[in-house]
Amino acid sequence: MARPTGRVLTLLELLQSGGTRTVAELADRLGVEGRTVRRYVDHLIDLDVPVESVRGRYGGYRLAPGYRLPPLMLSDDEALAVLLGLVAGRRAGLTATERTANETASAKIRRVLPKHIARRLDTLLEALAFTDQPGESDTPDTGVLLTIADAVRHHRPVSVRYTDRDGRCSERTLHAYGIVAHSGRWYVTGMDAQIGEDRTFRLDRIADARTLPGLFEAPMGPGAAQRVLSGFATAEYRHEVTLRIHGTVEQIRARLPVSVANLEEHESASGEDRATERWLRVELRAERLDWLPPVLASLDRPFVIERPDELRDLVIALADRLTSYAAEPDPEEPMS
């Protein structure tokens, strides 16, 4: 049977997880009666832990908002999840703070952990290796990130000061639909109120964000992640490419994902299964075309290039090179 001190700490951990807990719920989790729960709450109050009593039908106990608990009580699994999350986030470039903040947070967690858990976690981190190099992407301002996140949640317009890739600064009013992490960067997608069109912005290029009065209604349809990926496929680049490829959606998406290309049926295929091979129209934009011929070759599916002619020339040139390579004799084999 757990000692009273252990139950008091368990009560503190339950309250620390957030929200209001009823006396019945706490009693059930602790395996005690309701009056014992109240006595444990008094123990916490004596230790200057601000436990609030909430009256009413759904009342119970909760911690005062904004209170920071001095003891950090993490199980082995929880400590491992937190530290690996910090390490993996830094490696993937998806930390929303400077590198030093990530490192100091890890150090603080290690410092307050029991020694036996800290030793085991340090052993794991020392033995852990990654197959890729950490990204060097810029991180967004924490205040900007939190302000926009609040605007997304409450459907409030937000004014942002944005610098585009050409260095041009502008003030924009954004109806933000969501925040998306993709390939080591943070993005916000929403409607640019000045032009009445959906746009995607890199968060690290937003220098300031202020919530504005009023509300907006979030649109139905694709989620924020899908909107960001589709935005990449239609971004303004040098070349506009249109293809027809015969295959399944899955086959084409394996080489041309949503972030690269838009996909639509070229011929009516009503009633056909998505796994059925058929002609599909593929549209994409690219700054350069030299990467596309090898991708089309790797698809190993019939295709037609509608535009541009330059891509057709590059595909023919690749085919000629591959033919010549295949026809050349083995340089290690002596000539007869």
Side-chain angles (χ1 to χ4, degrees):
M1 180 179 295
R3 293 181 296 174
T5 301
R7 292 200 187 101
V8 171
L9 291 175
T10 301
L11 171 61
L12 178 57
E13 186 173 1
L14 291 171
L15 295 175
Q16 186 180 1
S17 64
T20 300
R21 303 286 186 133
T22 65
V23 174
E25 178 187 0
L26 294 171
D28 181 65
R29 295 291 297 274
L30 298 172
V32 299
E33 297 180 353
R35 59 185 179 184
T36 305
V37 171
R38 296 183 182 91
R39 189 167 68 249
Y40 290 166
V41 168
D42 290 338
H43 289 333
L44 292 177
I45 293 174
D46 290 340
L47 293 172
D48 292 328
V49 177
V51 181
E52 294 182 340
S53 175
V54 180
R55 297 184 180 277
R57 180 180 178 184
Y58 301 103
Y61 293 105
R62 69 184 180 192
L63 289 178
Y67 176 68
R68 297 181 179 181
L69 294 173
L72 183 64
M73 297 183 296
L74 295 174
S75 67
D76 290 29
D77 288 344
E78 291 169 337
L80 178 62
V82 171
L83 287 178
L84 285 182
L86 289 170
V87 172
R90 185 172 69 243
R91 296 285 305 195
L94 289 181
T95 175
T97 58
E98 296 296 331
R99 182 184 181 89
T100 53
N102 191 293
E103 293 173 347
T104 55
S106 298
K108 287 178 180 178
I109 292 174
R110 284 196 183 95
R111 191 162 57 244
V112 298
L113 288 175
K115 290 184 178 179
H116 75 282
I117 297 180
R119 282 196 299 268
R120 295 179 66 185
L121 291 176
D122 284 339
T123 299
L124 170 63
L125 294 177
E126 289 173 5
L128 185 63
F130 291 85
T131 58
D132 60 347
Q133 296 298 316
E136 296 296 331
S137 58
D138 295 327
T139 56
D141 178 83
T142 302
V144 167
L145 179 61
L146 294 177
T147 297
I148 293 178
D150 186 72
V152 169
R153 179 177 183 181
H154 296 100
H155 298 174
R156 299 282 300 277
V158 62
S159 173
V160 300
R161 189 166 73 250
Y162 187 73
T163 302
D164 65 19
R165 62 182 177 182
D166 296 323
R168 296 187 296 264
C169 297
S170 61
E171 293 277 347
R172 302 168 184 260
T173 298
L174 182 65
H175 293 176
Y177 305 149
I179 295 172
V180 178
H182 173 71
S183 296
R185 295 194 186 278
W186 293 86
Y187 298 87
V188 57
T189 182
M191 188 186 72
D192 187 329
Q194 274 87 348
I195 60 176
E197 296 180 3
D198 287 356
R199 288 290 184 267
T200 294
F201 302 101
R202 272 177 45 180
L203 274 169
D204 60 280
R205 290 178 175 167
I206 297 178
D208 182 59
R210 294 180 294 104
T211 304
L212 300 176
L215 297 171
F216 68 88
E217 185 174 347
M220 302 295 290
Q226 182 68 35
R227 290 176 182 274
V228 168
L229 292 177
S230 298
F232 291 152
T234 57
E236 293 295 334
Y237 289 110
R238 181 180 175 186
H239 300 283
E240 294 185 3
V241 178
T242 304
L243 309 163
R244 284 183 287 126
I245 302 176
H246 193 269
T248 67
V249 172
E250 183 178 15
Q251 288 170 337
I252 297 172
R253 282 301 184 208
R255 294 291 183 268
L256 295 169
V258 175
S259 59
V260 172
N262 285 330
L263 197 61
E264 63 182 35
E265 293 184 13
H266 175 65
E267 296 176 355
S268 177
S270 58
E272 286 189 298
D273 187 86
R274 282 176 59 87
T276 302
E277 293 183 0
R278 57 188 181 275
W279 284 102
L280 297 169
R281 182 182 298 276
V282 178
E283 296 180 347
L284 60 96
R285 300 189 182 193
E287 195 65 27
R288 297 170 52 185
L289 295 174
D290 53 358
W291 61 274
L292 259 176
V295 171
L296 295 175
S298 68
L299 273 170
D300 194 24
R301 304 302 310 163
F303 65 87
V304 174
I305 299 173
E306 294 187 352
R307 63 172 178 172
D309 292 337
E310 182 182 348
L311 177 59
R312 187 178 295 106
D313 296 337
L314 290 173
V315 170
I316 293 172
L318 174 63
D320 290 343
R321 287 198 305 274
L322 294 177
T323 301
S324 66
Y325 296 156
E328 289 178 0
D330 187 344
E332 300 298 326
E333 184 178 322
M335 301 292 290
S336 57

